[in-house]
Amino acid sequence: MPPAVQDSTGHSSSEEEHDTAHSSGEEQHGTAHSSGEEQEQGQNEGHQPIHAMIQMSLCPESSTPPSARDRGYAWVVVVGVFWINTLCAGYIKSFGITYLLLLEHFPDASGAAAGLIIGLLMGTRGLLTCVAAPLMGAMAVKIGPRRSILTGTLLVTLGLLLAIPKLSIHYMAATLGGLVGIGICMSETPGMLLVTDYFMEKLSFANGIRASGNPMGGILFSPMVVFLNDQFGLQGTFILLAGIMMHIAIFGMLMRPVELQEQILHRQHVRKTQAGPGCAEKGNMKAAAVTHKPFPKKALDFTLLWNPQYLIYLVMVLFSNLSIPQFLLYLPAYGYSIGLNNYQNSIISSYMSATDCIFRISCGFLVQKLNVKKAYIFTAGLVVGGLACLLVTLCSAMWQLLLVTTLYTIGLAIFWALINTLLTNDFGPESIASSWGFFRMTQGITNFIYPSLLGLMQDLTQSMVVPFLIMGAALFLGAAIFSLQPLVAKMCKRAKE
């Protein structure tokens, strides 16, 4: 046996004989580790203990626990959020059809009063998503995303079942609008936050898939509501919709918190590294050292409200929200005004949702692959949407509305595919609950006011032309304001320096 080689501490390397590896007869000195452990390679095969050789093959030095982000179960979460959005947004996007059916049962209701139903639905959904993504983002952290989604599912189901008596237009506003709006808000918010937790490098693409669930709901729900009403009446439609919406709870069970997924991966990694006799302690140390912890979420970050860069987002949505949720809800009313029936309106709504779904996924994918400024693309999307709103007023046939809605969905898809990514990039993933929450709060306040305002304009003019002119002008103003965002960002950066 060759003489023992002394290491830097003066101890013989023969004491570490069980941690050495075979190198076909050549001696190699191992590198010194910060922990003081030093391994030496170069012993002959006949002098290397067989259990050490097995240990080295089962306990590789480079083994580290994988991250939960951008891989594996992260895509399961995206699929679950996609279907939750499909159900929640399907109800909302089909509400333009439901709105016409309610007017048939309450023919004396004014446009402003009927607009109150849409206002309560969109207002509570947005307003409580804002108190949700701060408050509900905090709730999802405190009670967990699964419990939040289950509670929301129960409220949605309750609201639809309580609407069965059809007591009055204001009663329908409280049940179909307010109660269902709260439940939808509680069901949507945790999924959006989880996608931000699970993705970093592929966030734009994941958000594109998540957001495409909204138009998918429009594809499925609009013709379904018309069919159910023809077969079972409005009351039967509410009962069946309640059963359909309960499926939100099933997909909600897939919303595993990223912290729990990291722990699962950690335990799986430790079990693998413990396969060798001496790997347990080393495997635990390595896994603990590289466990990927999620960004700490700030439930309420009020400093955003004093950030000029963030205020640009809020002022932009004050104007753009006159169109973005209202266009689809009021498009069936415009179609009815030019002689289209319920089935033709449902075809237009489904077509718009189908193109929206394709454009959202495409936008998220292309923005991720191409080196383009997201803020510029976002501004262009607002301009395209505003142009489409103005062109609606020139339409007098179904095929013309189909062409215009194609143009509008391009702008709509850009808006929803990029807004979450822009907020995350500009204000950090740790503040996404607040930045998204206050954004949705502004949407909620405007969604409560704007439907009744547009309905009042319809009453005063006895036409749907003026509401769509207002929508188009509002999107142009929103685009003009958001175009200032890069300039404001540079000014804020200089002020900090």
Side-chain angles (χ1 to χ4, degrees):
M1 177 181 297
V5 180
Q6 298 294 322
D7 62 13
S8 59
T9 60
H11 295 288
S12 171
S13 62
S14 61
E15 296 177 1
E16 299 180 12
E17 183 180 17
H18 291 283
D19 294 323
T20 60
H22 170 56
S23 65
S24 69
E26 294 182 2
E27 290 188 5
Q28 297 179 350
H29 290 285
T31 57
H33 297 285
S34 58
S35 61
E37 177 186 358
E38 182 174 7
Q39 297 181 344
E40 179 174 331
Q41 301 177 344
Q43 299 293 336
N44 292 329
E45 184 176 359
H47 298 139
Q48 178 65 36
I50 186 65
H51 69 80
M53 296 171 62
I54 297 175
Q55 173 182 324
M56 289 300 298
S57 65
L58 294 176
C59 185
E61 290 292 328
S62 60
S63 177
T64 57
S67 170
R69 292 195 174 93
D70 297 300
R71 58 182 294 173
Y73 198 81
W75 296 108
V76 177
V77 171
V78 169
V79 172
V81 174
F82 170 87
W83 285 111
I84 290 174
N85 284 358
T86 297
L87 293 168
C88 292
Y91 175 84
I92 293 169
K93 287 181 177 291
S94 66
F95 209 76
I97 305 296
T98 307
Y99 172 79
L100 294 178
L101 298 177
L102 287 173
L103 289 181
E104 293 178 1
H105 286 270
F106 300 99
D108 297 331
S110 66
L116 181 63
I117 304 178
I118 298 177
L120 280 173
L121 171 68
M122 303 301 294
T124 52
R125 179 198 178 213
L127 185 60
L128 287 167
T129 300
C130 51
V131 181
L135 231 211
M136 248 187 227
M139 178 187 293
V141 172
K142 295 295 183 183
I143 70 173
R146 292 168 175 168
R147 293 179 182 176
S148 177
I149 293 172
L150 281 176
T151 304
T153 304
L154 291 176
L155 291 177
V156 170
T157 305
L158 183 63
L160 286 165
L161 294 178
L162 289 178
I164 293 173
K166 298 184 297 184
L167 299 180
S168 68
I169 192 71
H170 295 94
Y171 176 79
M172 303 302 281
T175 53
L176 296 179
L179 196 56
V180 174
I182 295 172
I184 286 176
C185 153
M186 295 187 69
S187 302
E188 285 182 321
T189 304
M192 185 278 299
L193 298 177
L194 275 179
V195 170
T196 305
D197 279 342
Y198 269 99
F199 287 90
M200 295 179 63
E201 296 179 359
K202 301 178 181 178
L203 180 60
S204 294
F205 185 43
N207 270 324
I209 297 175
R210 173 193 65 81
S212 66
N214 293 39
M216 179 61 72
I219 298 172
L220 301 175
F221 271 67
S222 294
M224 182 179 67
V225 168
V226 174
F227 174 79
L228 293 177
N229 180 69
D230 290 344
Q231 298 296 319
F232 306 103
L234 193 57
Q235 292 173 318
T237 299
F238 292 153
I239 294 173
L240 292 172
L241 282 177
I244 292 171
M245 297 301 282
M246 288 185 71
H247 288 77
I248 296 173
I250 297 175
F251 298 107
M253 292 299 96
L254 298 175
M255 299 299 105
R256 181 184 295 167
V258 68
E259 298 90 343
L260 178 58
Q261 180 64 13
E262 291 282 4
Q263 293 173 11
I264 292 173
L265 294 176
H266 175 94
R267 288 196 295 268
Q268 290 175 346
H269 178 76
V270 169
R271 282 199 296 269
K272 290 180 180 178
T273 56
Q274 286 177 343
C279 293
E281 182 178 355
K282 183 184 296 185
N284 279 308
M285 291 176 61
K286 282 182 174 289
V290 296
T291 298
H292 305 271
K293 296 183 179 180
F295 296 103
K297 289 288 186 297
K298 298 179 182 178
L300 291 171
D301 187 5
F302 289 105
T303 59
L304 289 171
L305 299 178
W306 285 269
N307 186 335
Q309 188 178 357
Y310 186 69
L311 292 178
I312 289 289
Y313 281 89
L314 298 187
V315 177
M316 176 272 296
V317 80
L318 279 174
F319 290 98
S320 63
N321 227 48
L322 257 169
S323 170
I324 287 177
Q326 323 303 337
F327 183 93
L328 181 60
L329 297 173
Y330 278 94
L331 190 62
Y334 182 87
Y336 184 79
S337 70
I338 62 174
L340 303 185
N341 58 36
N342 287 339
Y343 273 110
Q344 289 174 315
N345 280 321
S346 68
I347 291 172
I348 293 175
S349 296
S350 295
Y351 170 78
M352 179 178 175
S353 298
T355 54
D356 191 12
C357 181
I358 295 171
F359 289 146
R360 289 194 193 197
I361 296 177
S362 301
C363 178
F365 179 77
L366 290 175
V367 169
Q368 178 185 322
K369 292 295 182 182
L370 303 177
N371 186 21
V372 293
K373 291 283 188 180
K374 296 182 180 66
Y376 296 157
I377 300 297
F378 187 85
T379 304
L382 293 176
V383 173
V384 170
L387 179 61
C389 289
L390 298 181
L391 291 177
V392 166
T393 62
L394 303 178
C395 297
S396 57
M398 181 178 174
W399 68 270
Q400 294 172 341
L401 282 179
L402 289 174
L403 291 178
V404 170
T405 54
T406 302
L407 184 64
Y408 183 81
T409 51
I410 294 175
L412 184 67
I414 291 173
F415 183 95
W416 288 116
L418 294 185
I419 184 61
N420 184 266
T421 304
L422 285 170
L423 290 172
T424 303
N425 291 344
D426 288 343
F427 309 105
E430 69 280 356
S431 296
I432 186 61
S434 297
S435 60
W436 176 253
F438 294 131
F439 182 87
R440 293 291 281 163
M441 178 177 65
T442 308
Q443 282 190 313
I445 295 171
T446 55
N447 282 337
F448 187 80
I449 299 171
Y450 289 163
S452 294
L453 176 63
L454 293 174
L456 179 61
M457 297 305 299
Q458 178 187 357
D459 290 339
L460 293 176
T461 62
Q462 294 298 309
S463 170
M464 288 300 300
V465 171
V466 173
F468 278 92
L469 290 176
I470 294 174
M471 293 181 197
L475 280 179
F476 284 133
L477 286 173
I481 291 168
F482 194 78
S483 65
L484 301 175
Q485 194 265 351
L487 177 62
V488 174
K490 291 181 181 178
M491 294 174 62
C492 291
K493 185 177 181 180
R494 290 175 183 174
K496 290 180 181 179
E497 293 175 353

